[in-house]
Amino acid sequence: MTSSDQPPYRSGFACLVGRPNAGKTTLTNALVGEKVGIVSNRPQTTRHAIRGVVHRPAGQLVLVDTPGLHKPKSLLGRRLNDVVRDTLSEVDVIVFCIPADQPVGTGDAFIARQLREVSTPIVLVVTKTDAASKKAVTEQLVAASKLVDAREIVPVSAVAGDQVTLLEDLLIGLLPEGPQMYPDEQTTDEDVERQIAELVREAALEKVRQEVPHSLAVTVEEMHRKPDPRDPDAVFTEIHALLHVERPSQKPMLLGKGGQTIKAIGSEARVGLETLLGGRVHLALHVTVLGEWQDDPKKLNRLGY
C-alpha cells in the first residue's frame, strides 16, 4: 500500500453539550482515557470549557466539555450559557448527550432549540446505557432522534466502555483534514492551577451534601514546587487554596465538627493532586465567605468566570 492510499489525517474540535448531569464529563474522560474533567452527581459541576485531547492513528480529536446549557437564574448562569454558545460556533462537530436513564425533557428541548441556530454537524449520543434496560435505551434513541437532525445516533456507556471506540472513529471521520495540533503526550490544555482548583472543588462536592455546591468556588492562592527533602529526585509541592462560599452559614458545613470535613476534603484532593503533579503534596485549605458572588461581575471576574 503506497502512502497515497492512506486515508488523510484529520484534526479538529468536538464540543459536548447536554443538560446538566447528562454524562458529558464522564464521556470526555472515557474518550481521552484519563481524567481531565471533574465528575460529580451534582448538576453544573463543569464551569469551564475543558479540552481533552484524543490521539488516534487516523487523527486528533480535541474535546471541548462545556457547562450544561440551562435556563439561567444568575449572572454566573448567563455567563456559562455564553461560554457554550461561543464554543458551538467554533467547533467542527457537536456531540449532543442525552442520558438513557431519564426521560427526554424540557432541558433537552431547550438545548435542541439552541442547536438549530448552528450549522455544525451533530452526533447524538445516548449516554449511561449501562443504567437502563435495552427497551428503555431503544425508546430513548427514538425520542432523542426527533429532537435534532443528527448525522449519527450512538448509544454509549462511558462507565462500561461500550461503543466509546466506535464514537471516536465517527467523530474523527467528521473532522476536516489537517495536521496534529497537540503533541502526543498532551491530553489537556487546562492550566495546572485550574486543574488543582477543580480537584479541590470535586473533593469538596463529594463531602458536602447540602446546599453548598453552586455557591462553592476554589482559587489557588500560592503554589511552591521544590525538591522533596525525602527524595532529592522528586518534587514536593506546597499549595494554599481558598474555598469561597456565599453565606456565613455555609462555612461551618465545609469546616465540619472540629475541622473534620475540611481535613477529609484535603485528604481526598491530595490523592488526585499527587497523581497530577507527580510527587508529594502539602495542601492547606481555608474557607472564606465571598457574599453572593454568582451575581457580582467583579467577583466573577476575580474567580476566573
Side-chain angles (χ1 to χ4, degrees):
M1 184 169 172
T2 63
S3 59
S4 61
D5 298 329
Q6 288 276 1
Y9 189 88
R10 297 178 180 277
S11 63
F13 293 85
C15 174
L16 282 77
V17 296
R19 60 182 151 110
N21 242 354
K24 301 182 294 295
T25 303
T26 306
L27 181 57
T28 298
N29 291 341
L31 289 164
V32 174
E34 66 178 70
K35 185 168 176 172
V36 292
I38 80 167
V39 180
S40 156
N41 55 9
R42 285 180 190 65
Q44 270 176 270
T45 303
T46 305
R47 288 186 181 152
H48 298 284
I50 294 170
R51 289 179 168 79
V53 188
V54 181
H55 303 274
R56 293 289 170 269
Q60 189 175 72
L61 176 69
V62 184
L63 296 165
V64 185
D65 181 17
T66 61
L69 260 173
H70 60 290
K71 287 200 168 126
K73 295 186 178 74
S74 65
L75 179 62
L76 172 66
R78 289 197 295 279
R79 285 197 181 180
L80 294 180
N81 275 358
D82 289 344
V83 168
V84 184
R85 288 202 192 91
D86 290 348
T87 306
L88 292 181
S89 59
E90 291 164 5
V91 295
D92 302 295
V93 57
I94 293 167
V95 183
F96 183 10
C97 298
I98 294 180
D101 62 342
Q102 298 157 40
V104 169
T106 52
D108 301 307
F110 174 76
I111 292 164
R113 284 197 299 277
Q114 313 292 316
L115 293 181
R116 285 185 201 126
E117 296 167 23
V118 296
S119 56
T120 314
I122 297 166
V123 173
L124 194 58
V125 176
V126 171
T127 59
K128 307 186 184 184
T129 56
D130 56 294
S133 66
K134 280 205 167 85
K135 181 170 178 282
V137 172
T138 306
E139 287 170 0
Q140 194 72 324
L141 287 166
V142 172
S145 68
K146 293 174 181 166
L147 284 174
V148 287
D149 182 15
R151 290 282 183 95
E152 305 277 356
I153 302 175
V154 191
V156 165
S157 167
V159 173
D162 291 344
Q163 306 244 83
V164 173
T165 308
L166 171 80
L167 177 61
E168 280 171 9
D169 293 342
L170 280 175
L171 294 176
I172 287 172
L174 288 168
L175 300 178
E177 291 177 28
Q180 191 170 332
M181 292 181 285
Y182 291 90
D184 288 336
E185 66 282 357
Q186 190 168 350
T187 54
T188 180
D189 71 355
E190 274 282 65
D191 68 62
V192 172
E193 281 196 11
R194 185 169 277 178
Q195 284 180 281
I196 291 167
E198 289 291 274
L199 282 167
V200 172
R201 195 162 70 91
E202 179 179 32
L205 291 177
E206 281 306 308
K207 299 291 175 208
V208 181
R209 293 274 167 218
Q210 282 139 308
E211 58 182 79
V212 171
H214 298 308
S215 305
L216 178 65
V218 177
T219 54
V220 175
E221 298 301 297
E222 282 181 60
M223 181 166 91
H224 305 290
R225 304 192 68 156
K226 54 192 178 193
D228 190 333
R230 289 188 201 165
D231 175 2
D233 295 328
V235 176
F236 177 71
T237 311
E238 206 170 298
I239 298 165
H240 293 262
L242 288 179
L243 285 76
H244 306 271
V245 292
E246 288 195 301
R247 291 186 288 285
S249 61
Q250 293 167 331
K251 195 171 175 178
M253 292 180 200
L254 279 171
L255 292 171
K257 194 175 177 185
Q260 282 175 324
T261 306
I262 195 90
K263 271 190 197 133
I265 292 168
S267 299
E268 183 155 320
R270 199 176 302 112
V271 177
L273 292 172
E274 291 186 339
T275 304
L276 173 70
L277 300 168
R280 282 196 314 128
V281 168
H282 170 74
L283 177 63
L285 297 177
H286 300 280
V287 182
T288 163
V289 179
L290 188 64
E292 306 303 331
W293 59 264
Q294 293 187 69
D295 270 312
D296 184 323
K298 280 193 181 129
K299 289 175 184 173
L300 283 172
N301 292 345
R302 185 178 141 196
L303 294 171
Y305 295 122

